Short mmCIF file of all heavy atoms in Angstrom, two decimals:
data_model
loop_
_atom_site.label_atom_id
_atom_site.label_comp_id
_atom_site.label_asym_id
_atom_site.label_seq_id
_atom_site.Cartn_x
_atom_site.Cartn_y
_atom_site.Cartn_z
N TRP A 18 -7.20 125.06 225.51
CA TRP A 18 -6.50 126.27 225.90
C TRP A 18 -5.00 126.13 225.79
O TRP A 18 -4.30 127.06 225.38
CB TRP A 18 -6.89 126.61 227.33
CG TRP A 18 -6.27 127.85 227.84
CD1 TRP A 18 -6.62 129.14 227.56
CD2 TRP A 18 -5.14 127.95 228.74
NE1 TRP A 18 -5.81 130.02 228.22
CE2 TRP A 18 -4.89 129.32 228.95
CE3 TRP A 18 -4.35 127.01 229.38
CZ2 TRP A 18 -3.87 129.77 229.77
CZ3 TRP A 18 -3.32 127.46 230.19
CH2 TRP A 18 -3.09 128.83 230.39
N VAL A 19 -4.44 124.96 226.13
CA VAL A 19 -2.99 124.76 226.11
C VAL A 19 -2.42 124.90 224.69
O VAL A 19 -1.44 125.63 224.48
CB VAL A 19 -2.61 123.40 226.73
CG1 VAL A 19 -1.13 123.11 226.54
CG2 VAL A 19 -2.96 123.40 228.21
N PRO A 20 -2.98 124.20 223.66
CA PRO A 20 -2.44 124.40 222.31
C PRO A 20 -2.57 125.84 221.82
O PRO A 20 -1.70 126.33 221.10
CB PRO A 20 -3.30 123.45 221.45
CG PRO A 20 -3.80 122.43 222.40
CD PRO A 20 -4.01 123.16 223.69
N SER A 21 -3.67 126.51 222.21
CA SER A 21 -3.84 127.90 221.77
C SER A 21 -2.77 128.79 222.39
O SER A 21 -2.26 129.71 221.76
CB SER A 21 -5.23 128.40 222.14
OG SER A 21 -5.40 128.40 223.54
N MET A 22 -2.41 128.52 223.66
CA MET A 22 -1.34 129.28 224.29
C MET A 22 0.00 129.01 223.62
O MET A 22 0.80 129.92 223.42
CB MET A 22 -1.26 128.90 225.78
CG MET A 22 -2.31 129.57 226.64
SD MET A 22 -2.05 131.36 226.70
CE MET A 22 -0.49 131.44 227.56
N ARG A 23 0.24 127.75 223.25
CA ARG A 23 1.50 127.42 222.56
C ARG A 23 1.56 128.12 221.21
O ARG A 23 2.61 128.64 220.83
CB ARG A 23 1.59 125.91 222.37
CG ARG A 23 1.84 125.14 223.67
CD ARG A 23 1.84 123.64 223.42
NE ARG A 23 2.09 122.89 224.64
CZ ARG A 23 2.03 121.58 224.73
NH1 ARG A 23 1.74 120.86 223.65
NH2 ARG A 23 2.25 120.98 225.88
N SER A 24 0.45 128.14 220.49
CA SER A 24 0.42 128.82 219.19
C SER A 24 0.66 130.31 219.36
O SER A 24 1.39 130.93 218.57
CB SER A 24 -0.91 128.57 218.50
OG SER A 24 -1.12 127.19 218.29
N ALA A 25 0.06 130.90 220.39
CA ALA A 25 0.25 132.33 220.63
C ALA A 25 1.70 132.64 220.98
O ALA A 25 2.27 133.64 220.52
CB ALA A 25 -0.68 132.80 221.75
N LEU A 26 2.32 131.76 221.79
CA LEU A 26 3.72 131.97 222.16
C LEU A 26 4.64 131.85 220.96
O LEU A 26 5.56 132.66 220.77
CB LEU A 26 4.12 130.96 223.24
CG LEU A 26 5.56 131.06 223.76
CD1 LEU A 26 5.80 132.43 224.37
CD2 LEU A 26 5.84 129.97 224.79
N ARG A 27 4.37 130.86 220.10
CA ARG A 27 5.19 130.72 218.89
C ARG A 27 5.03 131.92 217.98
O ARG A 27 5.99 132.41 217.38
CB ARG A 27 4.79 129.45 218.15
CG ARG A 27 5.22 128.16 218.86
CD ARG A 27 4.66 126.95 218.17
NE ARG A 27 5.00 125.71 218.87
CZ ARG A 27 4.52 124.53 218.56
NH1 ARG A 27 3.65 124.40 217.55
NH2 ARG A 27 4.89 123.46 219.24
N GLY A 28 3.81 132.41 217.87
CA GLY A 28 3.58 133.60 217.05
C GLY A 28 4.31 134.82 217.59
O GLY A 28 4.84 135.63 216.84
N LEU A 29 4.34 134.94 218.94
CA LEU A 29 5.04 136.06 219.55
C LEU A 29 6.54 135.97 219.29
O LEU A 29 7.19 136.97 218.98
CB LEU A 29 4.77 136.07 221.06
CG LEU A 29 5.51 137.14 221.88
CD1 LEU A 29 5.07 138.52 221.44
CD2 LEU A 29 5.25 136.95 223.36
N LEU A 30 7.10 134.76 219.43
CA LEU A 30 8.54 134.59 219.23
C LEU A 30 8.94 134.81 217.78
O LEU A 30 10.08 135.14 217.49
CB LEU A 30 8.96 133.19 219.69
CG LEU A 30 8.84 132.92 221.19
CD1 LEU A 30 9.24 131.49 221.50
CD2 LEU A 30 9.69 133.88 222.00
N ARG A 31 8.01 134.59 216.86
CA ARG A 31 8.32 134.77 215.44
C ARG A 31 7.98 136.16 214.93
O ARG A 31 8.34 136.51 213.83
CB ARG A 31 7.55 133.73 214.62
CG ARG A 31 8.01 132.29 214.87
CD ARG A 31 7.12 131.31 214.16
NE ARG A 31 7.51 129.93 214.42
CZ ARG A 31 6.82 128.87 214.04
NH1 ARG A 31 5.68 129.03 213.39
NH2 ARG A 31 7.24 127.65 214.32
N GLY A 32 7.28 136.92 215.71
CA GLY A 32 6.81 138.21 215.24
C GLY A 32 7.89 139.27 215.33
O GLY A 32 8.88 139.14 216.06
N PRO A 33 7.69 140.39 214.62
CA PRO A 33 8.67 141.48 214.65
C PRO A 33 8.76 142.16 216.00
O PRO A 33 9.80 142.72 216.35
CB PRO A 33 8.16 142.44 213.57
CG PRO A 33 6.70 142.11 213.43
CD PRO A 33 6.57 140.65 213.71
N ASP A 34 7.68 142.14 216.81
CA ASP A 34 7.73 142.77 218.12
C ASP A 34 8.77 142.12 219.02
O ASP A 34 9.41 142.80 219.83
CB ASP A 34 6.35 142.70 218.79
CG ASP A 34 5.32 143.55 218.06
OD1 ASP A 34 5.74 144.44 217.30
OD2 ASP A 34 4.11 143.32 218.24
N PHE A 35 8.94 140.81 218.89
CA PHE A 35 9.94 140.12 219.69
C PHE A 35 11.35 140.58 219.34
O PHE A 35 12.21 140.69 220.22
CB PHE A 35 9.81 138.61 219.50
CG PHE A 35 10.73 137.81 220.35
CD1 PHE A 35 10.58 137.74 221.72
CD2 PHE A 35 11.79 137.11 219.78
CE1 PHE A 35 11.44 137.00 222.52
CE2 PHE A 35 12.66 136.37 220.56
CZ PHE A 35 12.48 136.32 221.93
N ASP A 36 11.59 140.86 218.07
CA ASP A 36 12.91 141.37 217.66
C ASP A 36 13.16 142.76 218.22
O ASP A 36 14.30 143.10 218.55
CB ASP A 36 13.00 141.39 216.13
CG ASP A 36 13.05 139.99 215.55
OD1 ASP A 36 13.46 139.07 216.27
OD2 ASP A 36 12.68 139.82 214.37
N VAL A 37 12.11 143.56 218.34
CA VAL A 37 12.25 144.88 218.96
C VAL A 37 12.64 144.72 220.43
O VAL A 37 13.52 145.43 220.93
CB VAL A 37 10.95 145.68 218.82
CG1 VAL A 37 11.05 147.00 219.59
CG2 VAL A 37 10.63 145.95 217.36
N VAL A 38 12.01 143.77 221.11
CA VAL A 38 12.35 143.51 222.51
C VAL A 38 13.79 143.03 222.62
O VAL A 38 14.54 143.47 223.52
CB VAL A 38 11.38 142.46 223.11
CG1 VAL A 38 11.82 142.06 224.50
CG2 VAL A 38 9.96 143.01 223.14
N LEU A 39 14.20 142.14 221.72
CA LEU A 39 15.58 141.66 221.75
C LEU A 39 16.58 142.80 221.53
O LEU A 39 17.62 142.86 222.18
CB LEU A 39 15.77 140.59 220.67
CG LEU A 39 15.36 139.16 221.02
CD1 LEU A 39 15.61 138.24 219.84
CD2 LEU A 39 16.10 138.65 222.25
N ALA A 40 16.26 143.69 220.61
CA ALA A 40 17.14 144.82 220.35
C ALA A 40 17.25 145.70 221.59
O ALA A 40 18.34 146.18 221.94
CB ALA A 40 16.62 145.63 219.17
N PHE A 41 16.14 145.91 222.28
CA PHE A 41 16.17 146.72 223.50
C PHE A 41 16.98 146.02 224.60
O PHE A 41 17.76 146.67 225.32
CB PHE A 41 14.75 146.98 224.00
CG PHE A 41 14.69 147.80 225.25
CD1 PHE A 41 14.88 149.18 225.21
CD2 PHE A 41 14.48 147.19 226.48
CE1 PHE A 41 14.84 149.94 226.38
CE2 PHE A 41 14.45 147.94 227.65
CZ PHE A 41 14.63 149.32 227.60
N VAL A 42 16.80 144.71 224.73
CA VAL A 42 17.57 143.95 225.72
C VAL A 42 19.06 144.03 225.41
O VAL A 42 19.91 144.19 226.31
CB VAL A 42 17.09 142.49 225.77
CG1 VAL A 42 18.02 141.64 226.63
CG2 VAL A 42 15.66 142.42 226.31
N ALA A 43 19.41 143.90 224.13
CA ALA A 43 20.82 143.99 223.74
C ALA A 43 21.38 145.38 224.05
O ALA A 43 22.52 145.50 224.54
CB ALA A 43 20.96 143.68 222.25
N PHE A 44 20.60 146.40 223.77
CA PHE A 44 21.02 147.77 224.08
C PHE A 44 21.29 147.94 225.57
O PHE A 44 22.34 148.47 225.99
CB PHE A 44 19.94 148.74 223.61
CG PHE A 44 19.96 150.08 224.28
CD1 PHE A 44 21.02 150.96 224.06
CD2 PHE A 44 18.94 150.47 225.13
CE1 PHE A 44 21.05 152.20 224.68
CE2 PHE A 44 18.96 151.70 225.75
CZ PHE A 44 20.01 152.57 225.53
N ALA A 45 20.36 147.45 226.41
CA ALA A 45 20.53 147.56 227.86
C ALA A 45 21.73 146.75 228.33
O ALA A 45 22.51 147.21 229.19
CB ALA A 45 19.26 147.11 228.57
N ALA A 46 21.90 145.55 227.77
CA ALA A 46 23.01 144.69 228.19
C ALA A 46 24.35 145.31 227.84
O ALA A 46 25.32 145.22 228.61
CB ALA A 46 22.87 143.32 227.55
N LEU A 47 24.43 145.93 226.67
CA LEU A 47 25.69 146.56 226.26
C LEU A 47 26.09 147.68 227.22
O LEU A 47 27.29 147.93 227.43
CB LEU A 47 25.56 147.11 224.84
CG LEU A 47 25.53 146.07 223.71
CD1 LEU A 47 25.19 146.73 222.38
CD2 LEU A 47 26.85 145.33 223.62
N LEU A 48 25.10 148.36 227.78
CA LEU A 48 25.42 149.45 228.71
C LEU A 48 25.67 148.94 230.13
O LEU A 48 26.53 149.47 230.83
CB LEU A 48 24.26 150.46 228.72
CG LEU A 48 24.06 151.27 227.44
CD1 LEU A 48 22.89 152.21 227.59
CD2 LEU A 48 25.32 152.03 227.05
N VAL A 49 24.91 147.92 230.54
CA VAL A 49 25.02 147.45 231.92
C VAL A 49 26.26 146.58 232.12
O VAL A 49 26.92 146.64 233.17
CB VAL A 49 23.74 146.66 232.30
CG1 VAL A 49 23.90 145.98 233.66
CG2 VAL A 49 22.54 147.60 232.32
N ASP A 50 26.60 145.77 231.13
CA ASP A 50 27.67 144.78 231.29
C ASP A 50 29.01 145.40 231.69
O ASP A 50 29.64 144.92 232.65
CB ASP A 50 27.80 143.98 230.00
CG ASP A 50 28.90 142.94 230.08
OD1 ASP A 50 29.03 142.30 231.15
OD2 ASP A 50 29.64 142.75 229.10
N PRO A 51 29.50 146.42 230.99
CA PRO A 51 30.83 146.94 231.38
C PRO A 51 30.85 147.55 232.77
O PRO A 51 31.87 147.49 233.46
CB PRO A 51 31.12 147.99 230.29
CG PRO A 51 29.80 148.36 229.74
CD PRO A 51 28.97 147.13 229.82
#
């Protein structure tokens, strides 16, 4: 189970969905920070 979880996490970090999350986080941070 542990290696399968690691593989799933690596796949998530490399997938396009993670970049969408990062873009949303950056958008929120740009508004909240100032």
Side-chain angles (χ1 to χ4, degrees):
W18 182 77
V19 173
S21 63
M22 281 294 294
R23 289 177 179 173
S24 300
L26 181 60
R27 289 174 183 172
L29 176 64
L30 294 178
R31 293 174 182 172
D34 293 341
F35 184 69
D36 290 337
V37 174
V38 173
L39 276 180
F41 180 77
V42 171
F44 159 67
L47 288 171
L48 292 180
V49 172
D50 179 41

